[in-house]
Amino acid sequence: MNLILEKQALQDLLQSWRQNYDVYLPQKLERFSHFMPLTETSVLVTDEPHNTRIPPKSLFLPMTEALVKFTRYGGYEDARHEIQPRIVFGIRPCDAQAVQLLDTSFIQDEYTDPLWLERREKTITIGLGCHEPCLNGFCTTVGYGPFNKADLDAILTDMGDVYLVETFSQAGDACFQGLPVAAEETYQEALAVQHSAHDQMPVAFETENLKEKLEQNFKNNYWDEVSQSCLGCGVCTFLCPTCFCFDIVDETQRRERVRNWDSCMFRTYSLEASGHNPRPSRVERTRQRISHKFVYWLDQVNQIGCTGCGRCVRYCPVGLDIRSMLRQAHSLPFEVSHAI
Amino acid sequence: MPDLNAIRTEAKRLLAEGVVDVVVAFKAGETPLHPQPAFFRSADEVDQLVYDGLCQNNLATFLTRVPKQSKVGMVVRGCENRSVNALVVEKQKNRADLFLIGVPCEGILDWQKIVGEVGETVKSVKENGQNLMIETKAGYQLLERHDFLHESCKRCIHPNPMSADILIGEALQEGDPNLARTAVETFEDQTIEDRYAWFQKEAERCIRCYACRQACPMCYCEECFVDHIEPRWSESGATPAGMQGWHIVRAFHQTGRCTSCGACERACPMDIKMTYLTEKLNHDMREKYNFEPGLDAQTQPPFAAVTLDDKNRFSV
Ligand code: SF4
Ligand code: SF4
Ligand code: SF4
Ligand code: SF4
């Protein structure tokens, strides 16, 4: 359904959702915006010319969570909290797409993560398209876009005084029940806004044969070059909406088994108990990060594992830019593989 | 701003004459806001070398990451020079294997403050004495440079590299030590509750990405205490205890070693203030021991100096 929402009616609508849902939306925290629970006094941030700093993946895979609590005499109990039905409002298309990508990892017949699944099932996602696309992002280059609709129950298009609301599910319909239906003309105007946003985004790098180039140049000193100034911190991975690695640790003092975010850029990530480290330096770790997104995701689910959100570009403390790294990769030698 | 050509000429000479194997400096990034640390290994690469107020990293952090035997040239500002000295004191590098190209520093610019003021579409940033001329999609904007500095640079005491092998440009006036002192005293003047609330607010926003540690030249431990598994020194998760422990102990390990460069704060993706902790330690080092890290390449920090006739024998 295509509906019209007056901007000035948004605040009341959001508040009305609180009766039945926990509502999360981007709000100001220090110098950035962050998905936080809606309260009576919350101020929604929609006008930042870029994305929230921490991606909304943290609403589905928290930075740290207790899985199991140990009891006396060798027993244990579930440490999970019950999740209330939730609405995540203002999620950007790249981040919604990322959540869909992560489903392919967390929801599989035999190996479904119950925590992820429960949060997913209980969450309605309402997107806000990027009518003025950010400068660090490159969603169109990796096959998505500023009004990409994957995984959204509804998406809003900013049209000045009003939003056009497109709903894609019953849950989405229910959230916007009672709003006037948009005239065909208005809908066409919204589509024009969406297309113009899409067209504003330059091609950041060529993706044709990129996978083969990266794969076939596993040992090229390209990797030494692009990783030289990397600090080996967790910024690009923790802030990435599609990075999902975690580490399970027994916090014996708390008597808890916890799950924490982990990063392939850390030395300890691939360190084995023997002391051997198969990815001994930043060179191998950088290669892993890039290859996971631009080679292995394609092998596994035939999708690029980067949604072009631009966070790693914007916040890398040494200005390492994945766009220019991949542009450099463009000139790597390769042979077309003729596999059927 | 020191003359870029003079820096390049010197870097070229060092490489051409084989004085050093590599020159560590900056090169232009994808946008004018993010120049990147860069490693120049031959004279003809040096034309890519840049230097401006947006070069936000402390290059000394790379000193422990290049092969130990290699001869290294480095473009250093005041804080970087002190960090290099502190690393030499800690025997991480021989001073004889280093050639420092010194540039007097007018303070590092905060790119987030700039985009906060002029928007995202920054095309170029020109620095001219006290002014910044920013070109954006909308046109040109003239800003007061001082307003866009990082806080650690506003209170810098020694902007000049004091033991560089060559200084490019005129030495600047030293900073006012009262600014560093006042920053610490203002914090101390708050009630204990207010200080704890501040500490909680800052530390508990941490995502434990360790960018602060990785950006710091003095954090070169092969294994950081937080990564230690047996015994475990700190809770692993992003829990209040874990985050507070990380912040306190990280700062503590800097006692008598931190050169107030602020690289840790600049690297933090969560805008967490942390130099107020290290500044307190630096302040105590100055007041109680008359010591400032990195002023020379010989003097051991007070807490690292052990003598056999030490009256207060260390006991565990
Ligand atoms: S954010 Fe930058 S410095 Fe940190 S690990 Fe990623 S590429 Fe390296
Ligand atoms: S790799 Fe970078 S641009 Fe791509 S999704 Fe991750 S953070 Fe965003
Ligand atoms: S603790 Fe921070 S201010 Fe001190 S030397 Fe390290 S990076 Fe610089
Ligand atoms: S850089 Fe910031 S978020 Fe990362 S570990 Fe340090 S204080 Fe925490």
Side-chain angles (χ1 to χ4, degrees):
Chain A
M1 268 202 291
N2 301 328
L3 309 164
I4 288 291
L5 169 62
E6 299 278 341
K7 276 194 182 168
Q8 41 182 345
L10 177 60
Q11 197 60 26
D12 288 343
L13 179 64
L14 296 172
Q15 291 293 342
S16 73
W17 291 342
R18 278 177 63 212
Q19 288 171 6
N20 299 316
Y21 297 94
D22 284 347
V23 182
Y24 290 85
L25 37 86
Q27 297 167 51
K28 191 115 191 104
L29 179 68
E30 295 304 301
R31 298 196 288 187
F32 50 91
S33 64
H34 189 59
F35 278 94
M36 293 190 281
L38 173 69
T39 66
E40 268 130 51
T41 52
S42 293
V43 180
L44 166 72
V45 177
T46 55
D47 58 351
E48 257 188 341
H50 51 82
N51 222 321
T52 57
R53 202 159 292 187
I54 299 289
K57 75 171 177 190
S58 64
L59 296 170
F60 302 96
L61 180 70
M63 258 172 243
T64 291
E65 74 181 314
L67 304 174
V68 163
K69 200 158 182 61
F70 299 107
T71 54
R72 277 174 198 280
Y73 311 116
Y76 63 88
E77 58 198 35
D78 208 330
R80 292 185 274 165
H81 303 289
E82 214 198 316
I83 313 287
Q84 298 303 316
R86 314 183 292 180
I87 296 178
V88 180
F89 178 84
I91 188 168
R92 299 289 177 169
C94 52
D95 289 340
Q97 176 65 54
V99 175
Q100 183 268 321
L101 278 167
L102 294 185
D103 279 348
T104 65
S105 174
F106 285 113
I107 307 178
Q108 294 175 0
D109 296 342
E110 279 172 85
Y111 305 104
T112 289
D113 182 324
L115 290 150
W116 177 272
L117 184 66
E118 184 184 2
R119 291 191 173 104
R120 289 287 282 137
E121 283 176 341
K122 290 188 172 168
T123 306
I124 299 171
T125 46
I126 298 175
L128 180 59
C130 307
H131 66 298
E132 284 170 342
C134 65
L135 294 175
N136 312 102
F138 50 93
C139 49
T140 54
T141 301
V142 285
Y144 308 116
F147 285 85
N148 189 55
K149 292 171 182 129
D151 196 61
L152 290 169
D153 292 291
I155 192 170
L156 275 60
T157 305
D158 190 327
M159 302 183 63
D161 295 336
V162 300
Y163 289 112
L164 176 93
V165 183
E166 293 168 78
T167 61
F168 310 117
S169 69
Q170 280 183 359
D173 287 342
C175 288
F176 296 97
Q177 204 179 19
L179 290 184
V181 172
E184 177 59 23
E185 198 181 316
T186 321
Y187 177 59
Q188 291 303 330
E189 273 171 46
L191 286 186
V193 171
Q194 299 183 3
H195 290 144
S196 125
H198 198 283
D199 296 343
Q200 277 171 48
M201 302 197 73
V203 176
F205 49 85
E206 294 297 330
T207 49
E208 202 188 342
N209 298 323
L210 182 59
K211 175 178 184 288
E212 289 78 3
K213 287 177 186 171
L214 295 174
E215 241 171 350
Q216 293 175 23
N217 289 282
F218 194 78
K219 297 202 167 140
N220 195 298
N221 67 2
Y222 160 80
W223 297 109
D224 300 73
E225 257 163 59
V226 294
S227 63
Q228 276 190 109
S229 60
C230 172
L231 297 173
C233 67
V235 172
C236 54
T237 46
F238 282 5
L239 265 48
C240 175
T242 68
C243 279
F244 59 92
C245 284
F246 56 78
D247 185 24
I248 292 178
V249 182
D250 283 348
E251 284 297 349
T252 42
Q253 285 188 0
R254 299 168 74 87
R255 289 196 257 122
E256 278 176 358
R257 176 164 295 173
V258 299
R259 162 158 82 174
N260 302 320
W261 282 0
D262 199 357
S263 165
C264 60
M265 301 308 280
F266 290 159
R267 181 190 68 97
T268 47
Y269 180 90
S270 50
L271 183 63
E272 294 171 6
S274 65
H276 172 65
N277 197 335
R279 291 188 204 128
S281 78
R282 288 173 189 81
V283 179
E284 295 82 12
R285 294 172 207 149
T286 298
R287 181 173 64 199
Q288 163 62 23
R289 177 169 79 89
I290 305 295
S291 302
H292 189 187
K293 298 190 186 305
F294 291 88
V295 179
Y296 313 143
W297 270 101
L298 285 152
D299 283 338
Q300 285 157 356
V301 297
N302 203 22
Q303 271 179 286
I304 291 181
C306 159
T307 62
C309 77
R311 286 187 181 85
C312 58
V313 168
R314 192 178 173 88
Y315 300 111
C316 171
V318 292
L320 274 174
D321 191 317
I322 196 167
R323 296 170 301 182
S324 71
M325 286 158 97
L326 293 170
R327 215 173 293 139
Q328 254 174 280
H330 187 59
S331 52
L332 291 172
F334 82 108
E335 286 167 19
V336 184
S337 61
H338 295 285
I340 315 162
Chain B
M1 272 292 122
D3 179 15
L4 181 57
N5 281 325
I7 302 176
R8 286 182 181 162
T9 307
E10 187 59 16
K12 276 186 191 166
R13 184 189 70 82
L14 296 179
L15 289 164
E17 293 177 9
V19 181
V20 299
D21 306 316
V22 58
V23 171
V24 186
F26 287 90
K27 66 175 182 192
E30 188 86 346
T31 83
L33 296 174
H34 301 292
Q36 282 181 26
F39 301 78
F40 300 97
R41 294 197 171 77
S42 74
D44 51 343
E45 294 168 1
V46 171
D47 288 329
Q48 292 182 29
L49 187 153
V50 302
Y51 174 76
D52 62 35
L54 285 152
C55 297
Q56 69 161 5
N57 311 100
N58 182 329
L59 292 176
T61 200
F62 294 104
L63 205 60
T64 45
R65 298 183 189 175
V66 290
K68 205 152 187 170
Q69 302 73 26
S70 59
K71 294 201 183 291
V72 180
M74 190 177 276
V75 176
V76 294
R77 296 163 279 205
C79 56
E80 283 159 322
N81 191 161
R82 277 174 280 127
S83 298
V84 169
N85 283 349
L87 288 168
V88 171
V89 170
E90 296 186 5
K91 301 216 178 337
Q92 295 307 305
K93 196 80 195 166
N94 278 332
R95 183 61 179 87
D97 292 337
L98 293 170
F99 193 101
L100 303 178
I101 306 175
V103 287
C105 177
E106 291 162 33
I108 299 174
L109 296 166
D110 183 341
W111 69 268
Q112 287 197 64
K113 283 188 188 162
I114 295 180
V115 295
E117 181 70 24
V118 306
E120 299 280 312
T121 62
V122 177
K123 286 185 177 163
S124 71
V125 177
K126 294 254 166 354
E127 297 169 64
N128 192 354
Q130 300 305 308
N131 295 323
L132 286 181
M133 178 64 89
I134 317 272
E135 185 191 359
T136 67
K137 219 163 117 184
Y140 287 89
Q141 230 170 306
L142 189 66
L143 305 175
E144 187 95 35
R145 192 176 191 280
H146 189 262
D147 296 344
F148 293 85
L149 292 179
H150 282 280
E151 296 310 310
S152 51
C153 298
K154 285 189 182 165
R155 48 173 197 253
C156 175
I157 307 178
H158 308 295
N160 296 304
M162 30 195 39
S163 52
D165 296 289
I166 179 174
L167 190 67
I168 310 280
E170 295 283 311
L172 299 164
Q173 205 187 343
E174 285 280 277
D176 176 1
N178 285 321
L179 294 176
R181 180 178 310 137
T182 319
V184 174
E185 286 171 356
T186 313
F187 186 76
E188 285 180 332
D189 284 346
Q190 298 178 53
T191 63
I192 190 163
E193 291 79 16
D194 286 353
R195 276 181 278 151
Y196 186 59
W198 168 273
F199 171 59
Q200 277 187 303
K201 172 171 156 296
E202 295 304 312
E204 295 181 10
R205 197 160 72 237
C206 178
I207 59 172
R208 306 198 67 166
C209 69
Y210 304 129
C212 49
R213 171 185 79 189
Q214 300 305 101
C216 174
M218 305 316 290
C219 279
Y220 58 79
C221 286
E222 181 65 27
E223 182 162 83
C224 178
F225 76 96
V226 280
D227 292 336
H228 205 76
I229 289 168
E230 196 59 60
R232 186 175 277 294
W233 300 114
S234 139
E235 212 174 88
S236 62
T239 54
M243 298 186 278
Q244 292 191 7
W246 162 240
H247 277 256
I248 284 290
V249 181
R250 185 198 74 88
F252 246 73
H253 286 179
Q254 296 291 343
T255 316
R257 308 171 64 237
C258 166
T259 58
S260 306
C261 69
C264 46
E265 262 180 25
R266 289 193 290 280
C268 178
M270 297 302 282
D271 295 355
I272 292 173
K273 319 274 188 316
M274 52 197 117
T275 51
Y276 71 100
L277 293 171
T278 40
E279 281 306 284
K280 163 66 178 158
L281 297 167
N282 288 340
H283 174 79
D284 285 356
M285 279 288 139
R286 286 193 295 270
E287 305 284 307
K288 295 189 169 48
Y289 297 89
N290 196 21
F291 180 79
E292 285 183 73
L295 289 191
D296 62 52
Q298 294 84 38
T299 316
Q300 288 283 350
F303 287 6
V306 185
T307 53
L308 288 175
D309 56 353
D310 200 324
K311 288 196 201 68
N312 299 312
R313 287 307 293 270
F314 188 83
S315 60
V316 210

